[in-house]
Structure formats: C-alpha cells, structure tokens
Amino acid sequence: MSKTIGLISGDGIGPEITEATLLVLKEVAPDFKYIDLDLGGVAIDKTGSPFPDETKAKLKEVDAVLMAAIGGPQYDNLPRDKRPETGLLALRKELQTFANIRPARVFDSLANLSSLKPEIVRGTDLVVVRELTGGIYFGQPSSNDGNRALNTMVYEKSEVTRIAHVAFCLARKRSKRLCSVDKSNVLNVSQLWRDAVIEVSKDYPDVELSHMYVDNAAMQLIKDPKQFDVIVTSNLFGDILSDESAMLTGSIGLLPSASTGDGSLPGLYEPVHGSAPDIAGQGLANPIAMVLSAAMMLRLSFDMSKEAAILEAAVEAVLAQGILTGDLGGTAKTKDVSEALVVEVKLALTNA
Ligand code: IPM
Ligand code: MG
C-alpha cells in the first residue's frame, strides 16, 4: 500500500528514534513515502515559529503524521506562544485530532521493572481515551498579566459526546467496560461531561459504564490498575492520568499514542514520552514507543492490522529476549533494539 507519511523527527532523541523506527517500519511497509515536517524546537531554530506555515501547507500532502518528540530546555524561557509545545497543540488543533488514545500494557517480561509490586501491575492492559482539542488547554479567556492569570475550562456537549462515542466503540471491542473520569462533585464542566457520557451510553447497552472522580482514579490506578479497561476523560485529566498509567509499565519509553479525528484529516501518531534531552545524541534512547506508535498508525489510519500485529509481536519478542535500553534497566543501544526488531519482523514475514 503506498501512503505518504509526514515525519516529524523533532528534537532531543527524536531523530535517533525516528531513524530506528523507519528501519523497522520499512520492513512491513516498503512502499510508504515520507515527507519531513519541522515542528517544535527545530522549527523554532529555522523559522522562529514552532509550527511554521510550510509545515501546515505540507500537511495537505500526507495521509498520516508520525512524530518522535519535541522540546528542550533551551526553549524554556521563550514566551508561551513561541514554545515547542505550542507547536504541538497547534498541530493537534489543525488536524482536529480530538481523540487521543493512549494504551498502557504491562509486558509480562517487564512486570518487575514497575515501581509498583509486580503482582499489582502484572496483567494491566488499559487504554486512556483523552479528549485532546478542548477543555482547559484551549478555553478562552486565557491570560497572565503578571499579577493575575486565568485559564478557562470549557466543554461543549458536542465535544463530550463525540469523544464518548470513540471510547464506547473502543470498549465494545475490548472487555466492554468504560470508566469515565471527571470531577463532577466540584466542577460544572464535569457535570456536563458526566451527563453527556450517560446520554451516549444509551447507544451502547452492551458496555458497562462507571464513573470515577479524578482524584480517586489517580489513587485506584496505583492501587489496583487491573480494574481498568477503557478510561475516557478530559484533556487535562487525561494528560495526567496517561503519564501515571504509562509509568505502571516500568518505563514511559514503551508507550505509544494515536490522535485521531473524524477520519477526514490525517491522524497523528506519537510516543507519550518527551524528547529526553539528557540522553540525546548518544544512541541510548528506547525507540519502542515510536515503533508502537507506527503500529497504531498502520492499524488505525491504513487498516493494516496484520502489519501492525507483526510490529507489536516483534516488540514483545525483543523485550522478552532482554534486549533492553537503559530506561528498562538494560544496556542495549537504540541500534541494538532496532536491529533485533528487524530480525523479528523479517522472521515473521518469512513465516507468514
Ligand atoms: C502530552 C504532552 C503535551 C500535552 C505537552 C507537550 C503540550 O504532555 O502529549 O501529554 O500536555 O498534551
Ligand atoms: Mg503529557
């Protein structure tokens, strides 16, 4: 299948994990074409803008966007609208990727790497469905005059309804349990959220819906993560809970994500982790989160489930072989992991 991928190598470890991911991805999708897109720090260095017009224009030529990571300490003192993160938020808004899907699965061979007891995390397999283009991240008014600062948490009912449908559909394909996380004991926005989710639930009588306050959810995630299957929540709560869920697995270096909209624009696929400037340029980064993000792209944007499953099985095999980067307590280099993944993928393709 010939598709055009917009590739954002980004900052820090971004270029290294991109190179590693392409090595693996090319095995299962040799016909893909790639267009480099500048976003974040590298875009600021070249043009002064974290989301240059040229990048925006090139989005029209791509079928999906695969991104590594952006940002770095050298940009910390820039005004907010000039920072790398602002570029990412603008990209999400541009592609109208309102649904951010962040799976967190504890690989059996790595259960002992979690900071929690292995018996608590073993078997954890959950997905956070995070609303990504609304809520307090984008609500207006928003200001800071040095004495008083203001953000607005706002949701339209239609925004809640559409993310709820995504979550219910996903829950239907998994264990048919959905937990909606809010703070409706305090926030008006959360009351609207809860009411709208309950309304949508009438279309999914086969899915069991539960509700949890966000503070309790944060606690339950470390107390008994296996109780969760699909979690649906707002932008800010999802940002926090998805990092917490990621850490259950032992390393945030393993967690992929997909950001999708209604299907009319390219989806955006990126690791949950950041650009790790402390280890950049040393060949030490774990490329697995980006490889798994590529697998999500194959499955969700291109319906290439077979190829996606080959990448996922290769990851599982390589982890089980103990080829682990530093974040997983090993000494393997980025290259060791990508080469081992290529071997596994080639094997799977010959046996297919
Ligand atoms: C994430 C990140 C971003 C977010 C930042 C970099 C803007 O933390 O993707 O979770 O808050 O959404
Ligand atoms: Mg985050």
Side-chain angles (χ1 to χ4, degrees):
M1 192 185 286
S2 176
K3 294 286 178 191
T4 304
I5 314 298
L7 200 58
I8 299 174
S9 309
D11 308 319
I13 58 170
E16 298 156 64
I17 60 171
T18 302
E19 190 188 333
T21 300
L22 288 187
L23 207 66
V24 187
L25 183 56
K26 281 178 178 163
E27 293 293 327
V28 292
D31 298 333
F32 283 5
K33 294 184 184 59
Y34 297 90
I35 297 183
D36 287 315
L37 304 176
D38 288 330
L39 188 89
V42 61
I44 294 170
D45 295 344
K46 281 192 197 166
T47 71
S49 160
F51 182 39
D53 289 341
E54 194 189 338
T55 299
K56 198 187 275 191
K58 282 187 183 164
L59 289 174
K60 301 209 163 47
E61 298 163 38
V62 309
D63 299 302
V65 177
L66 181 61
M67 176 175 145
I70 57 153
Q74 66 271 47
Y75 309 107
D76 280 353
N77 294 326
L78 290 175
R80 185 160 313 284
D81 62 328
K82 299 262 172 349
R83 290 169 61 123
E85 292 89 337
T86 304
L88 176 57
L89 296 181
L91 175 67
R92 289 172 178 170
K93 204 66 174 170
E94 180 73 17
L95 296 176
Q96 294 169 38
T97 53
F98 64 85
N100 183 220
I101 300 168
R102 296 188 161 181
R105 184 157 79 89
V106 173
F107 290 93
D108 219 42
S109 63
L110 300 184
N112 60 331
L113 288 181
S114 175
S115 49
L116 299 185
K117 297 189 188 88
E119 61 270 27
I120 292 190
V121 295
R122 196 182 295 280
T124 296
D125 181 1
L126 60 87
V127 184
V128 177
V129 177
R130 168 188 175 194
E131 201 292 325
L132 200 62
T133 52
I136 199 166
Y137 270 56
F138 294 97
Q140 293 299 327
S142 156
S143 62
N144 179 0
D145 69 9
N147 284 313
R148 188 162 185 270
L150 176 71
N151 287 98
T152 307
M153 187 183 276
V154 48
Y155 269 113
E156 302 292 333
K157 186 176 172 188
S158 58
E159 292 177 294
V160 183
T161 302
R162 67 181 180 177
I163 190 74
H165 277 292
V166 171
F168 275 106
C169 287
L170 186 64
R172 190 169 253 178
K173 287 195 215 135
R174 293 172 50 102
S175 75
K176 298 191 165 44
R177 283 180 298 119
L178 176 64
C179 179
S180 172
V181 172
D182 62 37
K183 188 72 188 174
S184 62
N185 49 345
V186 176
L187 302 175
N188 282 328
V189 174
S190 281
Q191 189 60 54
L192 177 100
W193 177 281
R194 190 176 282 218
D195 293 344
V197 172
I198 290 173
E199 207 172 300
V200 173
S201 73
K202 309 221 161 73
D203 293 345
Y204 301 86
D206 52 322
V207 177
E208 184 197 321
L209 172 66
S210 61
H211 304 273
M212 208 179 264
Y213 297 137
V214 63
D215 49 349
N216 187 25
M219 184 171 77
Q220 295 297 332
L221 269 171
I222 50 171
K223 187 169 168 235
D224 176 22
K226 284 189 285 258
Q227 71 184 283
F228 294 103
D229 187 48
V230 181
I231 293 173
V232 63
T233 192
S234 59
N235 204 344
L236 180 63
F237 297 164
D239 179 46
I240 298 165
L241 294 183
S242 63
D243 264 26
E244 190 185 354
S245 310
M247 208 52 220
L248 296 170
T249 67
S251 169
I252 200 168
L254 295 174
L255 275 293
S257 83
S259 304
T260 60
D262 64 7
S264 59
L265 292 169
L268 170 63
Y269 300 86
E270 49 169 323
V272 172
H273 65 69
S275 61
D278 51 323
I279 57 160
Q282 299 171 49
L284 299 175
N286 185 352
I288 286 178
M290 190 169 178
V291 172
L292 292 174
S293 300
M296 290 187 89
M297 173 181 81
L298 294 175
R299 184 175 282 119
L300 297 176
S301 278
F302 306 139
D303 225 358
M304 294 170 69
S305 308
K306 202 181 89 221
E307 290 81 355
I310 289 176
L311 292 189
E312 288 159 356
V315 165
E316 190 135 14
V318 166
L319 291 176
Q321 285 159 26
I323 303 173
L324 307 176
T325 41
D327 55 308
L328 300 172
T331 54
K333 302 251 189 180
T334 312
K335 205 158 151 280
D336 302 326
V337 176
S338 58
E339 284 171 0
L341 287 169
V342 167
V343 170
E344 287 302 320
V345 170
K346 281 200 156 109
L347 208 64
L349 290 171
T350 4
N351 292 338

